[in-house]
Amino acid sequence: MKKIILLMLTILTISLSLNSQEWNLDFATALEKAKSEDKNVLLVFQGSDWCIPCMKLEKNVWKSKAFIDYAEKNLILIKADFPKRKNNKLSKEQEEKNEILFEKYNTPGSFPFVVIFNKNGEIIATTGYKDISAEEYIMHLKSLIPKSKSQKKNYSRKLSLMGSSFSITVVAENQLEANQYIDMARNEISRIENLISSWKETSQTSEINRKAGTNAVNVDKELLMLIKRSLMISKLTSGAFDISYASMDKIWRYDGSMKKLPSQEDIEASISKVGYKNIIINEENSTVFLKLAGMKIGFGGIGKGFAADQAKKVLISKGVSGGIINASGDMNTWGKQANGEDWQIAITNPFNKEHSFGLFPISNRAVVTSGDYEKFVELEGKKYSHIIDPRTGYPASGIVSATIFADSAEMADALATSMIVMGHEVGIDLINQIPNTDCILVDNKGNVFKSKNIRINES
């Protein structure tokens, strides 16, 4: 019976030792492991058969499951033991190694004494015995070890999507990881383009336009809700934003071929099919119907913002901590840069494109700037911008630049152009009524108009 009990105890002892975290006896070996596994080194000086606090630390902490689990993930362990009993005597070689470590690192000459090194062998903390639980001792060790700085960087790539230039920036560990994330964003933007593009014959938007005046078209819920939100913005802006602008005949040309103003009759005819109130949606059946034959819808004033929002959602769902989707100036941000700082957005000065009008720290918001300073025509001594008021058919005038800050790029995209059409008085009043939305407007005389929450730090 005694032999059976002894055998069981032996098996139990072996089992426990196998489940314990391995303790190294050579510092150079421990440091080599630390470098290869990217861990810190914990060195303990102890007297295993005479130092009572050492024994308590061994029993209550080093052999606890909590510490073993913690050390397995975070530490390389090394023990410098100084036993006194003859039957626990170490080899002469080991004694010499421990003495060298003692002389070099145990400056107080106390037992137990714990020294923590980084993987390069530099001391980052020291401590001793504490009569606390294993869990509390682990928390104590964590408080001593500085958090390692992230090796993440900002990675960017320029892409041609939706007929425009996109730039996608993500925070990632390396170029390979960044490329995978950017590819995910690109695929999502391409999916959105295939859904909403009026230039692609196979898109649902093109089918809606083909059936104008004749039949309602069944569409995906995603497209239906985008159209619904577009109609809400049309109502909000009293028609300054209107996705049925695509029906407008292009009588204003900005390629140098236009020599005189179009007639009033031509202008009225150009907008005869424009009118958001003639877009009928049926949520129950998920259908869209354009009431007038020849009517068309297009998402040029909201589509890139919508795509930026959707790409952002995809990347956040994949764990990307921060980034910017820049869709030709329609920008949506989240998180922070790799260095922990907010993203910085520069707003172009419409009168001096070589300098920014202002620099803004931004995170988890979208910003879109729309302007008439890059595309216009001069006729009879007056400049006419490419931004047309869909209600009148005439180019908007007065405001040369509108920047919108909002929770979504979709909303910012739609409102930016609307502000140029609406003018500063009506526009600012509207923005001040929309939660979490701000704007900066610049008129053709250089005057700056801001919504109530905007603060500018000019650069």
Side-chain angles (χ1 to χ4, degrees):
M1 184 66 177
K2 288 182 179 179
K3 289 183 178 180
I4 295 173
I5 293 174
L6 286 172
L7 180 61
M8 292 176 65
L9 288 171
T10 301
I11 293 171
L12 179 60
T13 302
I14 293 172
S15 176
L16 287 172
S17 66
L18 289 173
N19 290 328
S20 298
Q21 171 74 351
E22 178 187 357
W23 287 84
N24 294 275
L25 299 176
D26 181 74
F27 186 74
T29 302
L31 195 58
E32 187 178 337
K33 289 182 180 179
K35 287 181 178 179
S36 65
E37 299 179 27
D38 194 23
K39 295 178 180 178
N40 294 316
V41 175
L42 183 147
L43 165 63
V44 58
F45 293 95
Q46 68 175 39
S48 60
D49 59 6
W50 58 270
C51 170
I52 301 301
C54 299
M55 296 177 188
K56 287 184 177 179
L57 200 58
E58 178 83 24
K59 177 183 177 183
N60 297 333
V61 178
W62 307 146
K63 289 186 176 180
S64 71
K65 185 179 186 304
F67 179 78
I68 291 169
D69 290 344
Y70 169 69
E72 184 69 33
K73 296 178 181 178
N74 301 281
L75 300 171
I76 299 297
L77 305 177
I78 178 170
K79 189 177 292 182
D81 195 11
F82 293 82
K84 290 185 177 180
R85 294 178 185 175
K86 288 184 178 180
N87 57 342
N88 294 329
K89 191 174 177 62
L90 304 175
S91 68
K92 187 177 177 72
E93 181 185 5
Q94 189 61 51
E95 284 182 352
E96 290 176 352
K97 286 183 178 180
N98 291 356
E99 285 291 345
I100 291 171
L101 291 174
F102 184 88
E103 290 295 328
K104 191 171 184 179
Y105 298 117
N106 194 338
T107 50
S110 59
F111 293 88
F113 187 64
V114 176
V115 185
I116 303 172
F117 305 82
N118 63 22
K119 64 182 180 181
N120 297 317
E122 300 163 337
I123 296 176
I124 56 177
T126 61
T127 188
Y129 173 72
K130 291 184 178 295
D131 190 13
I132 54 181
S133 69
E135 288 77 12
E136 291 172 321
Y137 202 90
I138 292 167
M139 293 301 295
H140 170 61
L141 292 176
K142 287 181 177 179
S143 70
L144 297 174
I145 300 173
K147 293 181 179 178
S148 60
K149 292 183 179 179
S150 171
Q151 298 302 309
K152 291 185 176 181
K153 296 180 181 179
N154 301 334
Y155 294 90
S156 299
R157 193 200 305 171
K158 291 184 178 179
L159 300 165
S160 180
L161 296 163
M162 302 181 75
S164 301
S165 175
F166 275 65
S167 176
I168 300 174
T169 302
V170 296
V171 175
E173 293 284 356
N174 50 59
Q175 188 68 62
L176 178 62
E177 183 181 71
N179 286 341
Q180 291 172 340
Y181 289 142
I182 292 172
D183 286 344
M184 291 176 190
R186 178 193 60 195
N187 293 340
E188 177 65 5
I189 294 167
S190 295
R191 184 188 70 81
I192 296 297
E193 181 179 14
N194 289 331
L195 179 68
I196 70 173
S197 174
S198 57
W199 297 99
K200 292 181 178 288
E201 291 296 320
T202 56
S203 73
Q204 293 183 5
T205 301
S206 293
E207 182 66 6
I208 292 170
N209 292 340
R210 278 193 294 269
K211 298 291 178 66
T214 58
N215 297 104
V217 176
N218 187 265
V219 299
D220 290 351
K221 188 76 170 180
E222 188 176 26
L223 179 58
L224 184 84
M225 297 312 293
L226 174 62
I227 294 172
K228 181 180 179 180
R229 293 192 299 273
S230 298
L231 297 181
M232 291 173 64
I233 296 172
S234 293
K235 293 176 183 177
L236 192 66
T237 61
S238 300
F241 174 81
D242 193 332
I243 58 172
S244 71
Y245 80 95
S247 312
M248 194 180 299
D249 290 336
K250 304 301 187 293
I251 59 172
W252 295 91
R253 298 185 301 278
Y254 302 90
D255 58 1
S257 63
M258 193 172 183
K259 303 301 180 183
K260 65 177 182 178
L261 290 170
S263 67
Q264 182 64 31
E265 292 78 11
D266 287 342
I267 290 174
E268 290 177 358
S270 75
I271 59 170
S272 61
K273 303 293 176 65
V274 177
Y276 70 91
K277 294 180 181 178
N278 292 318
I279 304 171
I280 310 301
I281 62 173
N282 185 316
E283 286 193 63
E284 185 177 349
N285 297 327
S286 195
T287 60
V288 180
F289 177 57
L290 306 183
K291 290 174 67 174
L292 305 178
M295 190 176 178
K296 296 178 182 178
I297 60 172
F299 298 98
I302 197 172
K304 291 195 297 293
F306 174 58
D309 289 342
Q310 297 307 108
K312 170 184 170 179
K313 287 179 183 177
V314 167
L315 293 181
I316 290 175
S317 73
K318 298 300 180 181
V320 181
S321 62
I324 299 179
I325 308 295
N326 183 348
S328 294
D330 297 5
M331 290 183 281
N332 204 344
T333 69
W334 74 99
K336 295 181 181 294
Q337 298 186 63
N339 63 7
E341 296 179 0
D342 285 335
W343 301 102
Q344 297 287 330
I345 302 297
I347 298 175
T348 301
N349 183 335
F351 299 102
N352 187 347
K353 291 181 236 179
E354 299 300 318
H355 296 84
S356 64
F357 176 75
L359 192 63
F360 297 82
I362 187 170
S363 181
N364 299 314
R365 296 196 81 194
V367 57
V368 173
T369 297
S370 183
D372 73 348
Y373 45 86
E374 291 187 346
K375 195 174 181 182
F376 57 87
V377 62
E378 288 190 14
L379 296 169
E380 300 177 9
K382 184 177 179 181
K383 186 168 75 173
Y384 294 89
S385 85
H386 73 287
I387 298 174
I388 309 296
D389 185 339
R391 301 166 298 186
T392 66
Y394 282 91
S397 61
I399 301 298
V400 297
S401 174
T403 299
I404 300 291
F405 299 85
D407 289 337
S408 73
E410 176 188 304
M411 174 65 87
D413 195 3
L415 289 177
T417 302
S418 301
M419 292 300 103
I420 291 179
V421 173
M422 297 173 75
H424 77 269
E425 290 185 1
V426 177
I428 293 289
D429 182 61
L430 172 62
I431 295 299
N432 283 335
Q433 298 178 59
I434 304 174
N436 302 319
T437 305
D438 303 289
C439 75
I440 300 171
L441 306 180
V442 183
D443 71 10
N444 53 13
K445 296 179 181 178
N447 298 311
V448 179
F449 306 93
K450 301 169 289 183
S451 58
K452 59 185 178 183
N453 295 320
I454 282 289
R455 301 289 183 271
I456 297 178
N457 295 319
E458 294 188 1
S459 62

